[in-house]
Amino acid sequence: MAIKTEPFILNMGPQHPSTHGVFRMKVTLDGEVVVDVEPVIGYLHRGIEKLAEGRTYTQNIPFTDRLDYLASMTNNFAYVLAVEKLAGIKVPERVEYLRIIVAEMMRISSHLMAVGFFLNDLGAMMTPMLYMFREREKLLDLFDMVCGQRLTYNYMRIGGVSQDIPDDFLPALKRFVAEMPGFIDEYDQLLAENEILLVRTKGVGVLPKDLAINIAASGPVLRASGVDWDIRRDDTYSIYDRFDFDIPIGNVGDCYDRYWVRMQEMSQSIRILEQAIAQLPEGKVCADVPQLLRPPIGEVYGHIEAPKGELGFYLVSDNSISPYRFHIRPPTLINLTALKDMVIGWKVADLIITFGSMDVCLGEIDR
Amino acid sequence: MTTVFNVEYAAKKIIEAFPDSVAVVVKVAVVVNSNSLYQVAEFLKDTSGFEFDYLNNLTAVDYIDYFEVVYNLNSLEHNHSLVLKTRCYDRNRPVVPSVISLWRAADYQEREIYDLMGITFEGHPNLKRLLLWEGFMGHPLRRDYL
């Protein structure tokens, strides 16, 4: 005689160590197998889009730090690029290089955190994460030299950056760039051939290519599914067209591919950093921009390849000192659309790692 | 580099397929009537030469006289982009058809617009508040919300 069972609803979060912030999932289970997942968000909603409508364009830069707080620099970058596009501002050559240097440092730092926490979710408690933190700490020290902050940088300005780099920054960065490939090899030795990592992640949480495009996934999640799309190359912004770098592509779209793509992207960021340091010109660090900017009437959608995906800003100007509409396109919120499809039929432990492999940041999802 | 699709040409093709669907062509976008939005979106997604398979961004703006819903479309194959818009003039009951069956990317974004701007997306299977809690009064991103 078959034993009668019934589905069971499990509430995960908002306070849960594997949810990377205040994220709640209503999980319907059949035994240990996931039948349905419903993400519930909004616990960190601060109304940034509404607040921004009452502040000037420059005053909104610190808000962008508080979106994806693990990659503040690229948030700054996306916002100032959108405003510059709206107002038609051209920035000095040195600024372009400085921005790309800090943005690629940020990408390495964000991916280190993503991989570290992903392994933490896998059950490799703390050890791999502390290896990642060791290198991230060096990056945070470098950011501290640049702008005096370790997390919320507020470094970029409309038309430039807030200040030039100090004299001891470039030698320290060169040392980091020289050392980092060795550390990436070290992670690879620890992780890439690890039996437990392979068994737990290969074939788990697959996001098929068609679905990835249909839900407008972006960043490493999209590329792990085998879509050759990187905004740095395909919709070049700033001066990314001057650098030579490869775009790693996964082939299955499982958790392992997402992990692998991030590891490879770190090496590519190092390549971009090497080229940018070698070419860095002297010059001004801010264009002549009026202190109280009034962009002409119009609208703009500016997007960049942030570490977690396509970060876009949709701005509408009515020629006043503050934006008429300030909309943020958060990459990880839109990537989350596919979570349900990726985890149905897998066990609760696989739900945790699939969610971990998507590298979400709740500051950006809830805004 | 993503090329911006010629707006005039896109509008011409849309009018050929669906007369009376295009309300106005502005400098950066094709604005269609909300009752033919779904057909036009389907046309842009499936017709060869357009093939907008990637919905970058979906948002709404409150211009007081009307709400404008903005679709930033992209084609990964051709690497071109187009902005599609629709307007709703009824402030008390703005309704726009949902495009979730074409691009599932619209799922959370339509819920977010419903939540913060108060625009109903007809055909969305799970249209409830996304960021604010159930029972919250009003829609904060409207210009008259203080």
Side-chain angles (χ1 to χ4, degrees), chain A residues 123-140:
Chain A
M125 270 320 231
M126 290 298 171
T127 310
M129 200 168 87
L130 286 174
Y131 275 90
M132 309 292 170
F133 265 66
R134 182 183 62 187
E135 271 65 66
R136 180 171 178 263
E137 189 61 29
K138 293 172 191 160
L139 282 168
L140 294 191

Side-chain angles (χ1 to χ4, degrees), chain A residues 269-285:
Chain A
S269 292
I270 293 286
R271 274 179 70 190
I272 297 175
L273 279 175
E274 281 169 352
Q275 296 167 49
I277 295 167
Q279 297 171 18
L280 179 67
E282 291 297 323
K284 278 175 26 170
V285 293

Side-chain angles (χ1 to χ4, degrees), chain A residues 35 49 129 265 294:
Chain A
V35 182
E49 291 184 5
M129 200 168 87
E265 277 187 10
R294 288 173 194 271

Side-chain angles (χ1 to χ4, degrees), chain B residues 20-24 30-41 66-69 71 84-90 93-99 119-122:
Chain B
D20 312 328
S21 62
V22 175
V24 57
V30 183
V31 185
V32 297
N33 296 318
S34 62
N35 50 13
S36 49
L37 175 83
Y38 185 86
Q39 286 84 346
V40 172
Y66 54 86
F67 291 107
E68 192 167 78
V69 184
Y71 300 80
L84 183 69
K85 290 180 176 182
T86 188
R87 290 173 183 171
C88 20
Y89 291 85
D90 185 358
R93 211 185 114 63
V95 183
V96 172
S98 170
V99 293
I119 297 173
T120 307
F121 287 90
E122 222 159 36

Side-chain angles (χ1 to χ4, degrees), chain A residues 88-100:
Chain A
I89 296 166
K90 183 125 179 44
V91 302
E93 193 83 332
R94 185 174 174 82
V95 173
E96 303 270 29
Y97 280 92
L98 288 179
R99 283 178 176 179
I100 281 184

Side-chain angles (χ1 to χ4, degrees), chain B residues 10 15 24 32 53 55 65 73 123 142:
Chain B
I15 293 169
V24 57
V32 297
D53 51 359
L55 177 65
D65 294 339
L73 301 172
R142 288 189 175 190

Side-chain angles (χ1 to χ4, degrees), chain B:
Chain B
M1 190 84 190
T2 305
T3 48
V4 179
F5 202 90
N6 188 318
V7 174
E8 303 284 332
Y9 176 74
K12 203 178 114 212
K13 285 283 172 192
I14 293 169
I15 293 169
E16 273 172 25
F18 307 99
D20 312 328
S21 62
V22 175
V24 57
V25 181
V26 292
K27 200 171 74 185
V28 290
V30 183
V31 185
V32 297
N33 296 318
S34 62
N35 50 13
S36 49
L37 175 83
Y38 185 86
Q39 286 84 346
V40 172
E42 198 175 22
F43 173 77
L44 290 177
K45 188 180 177 223
D46 296 335
T47 313
S48 75
F50 291 101
E51 283 161 293
F52 289 101
D53 51 359
Y54 193 87
L55 177 65
N56 282 67
N57 179 47
L58 168 51
T59 188
V61 189
D62 179 3
Y63 285 107
I64 302 171
D65 294 339
Y66 54 86
F67 291 107
E68 192 167 78
V69 184
V70 184
Y71 300 80
N72 287 87
L73 301 172
N74 208 326
S75 165
L76 298 195
E77 196 190 323
H78 303 293
N79 199 358
H80 57 215
S81 66
L82 180 73
V83 187
L84 183 69
K85 290 180 176 182
T86 188
R87 290 173 183 171
C88 20
Y89 291 85
D90 185 358
R91 233 184 141 67
N92 298 318
R93 211 185 114 63
V95 183
V96 172
S98 170
V99 293
I100 189 167
S101 51
L102 300 172
W103 300 286
R104 273 190 53 205
D107 187 351
Y108 286 153
Q109 304 189 72
E110 286 183 351
R111 277 178 68 189
E112 184 189 317
I113 296 169
Y114 166 72
D115 183 359
L116 301 175
M117 202 68 93
I119 297 173
T120 307
F121 287 90
E122 222 159 36
H124 192 292
N126 184 26
L127 194 67
K128 52 185 190 184
R129 286 190 182 272
L130 181 74
L131 297 170
L132 301 168
W133 56 94
E134 293 292 318
F136 185 90
M137 295 293 284
H139 303 286
L141 277 183
R142 288 189 175 190
R143 296 299 289 195
D144 54 6
Y145 183 94
L146 296 169

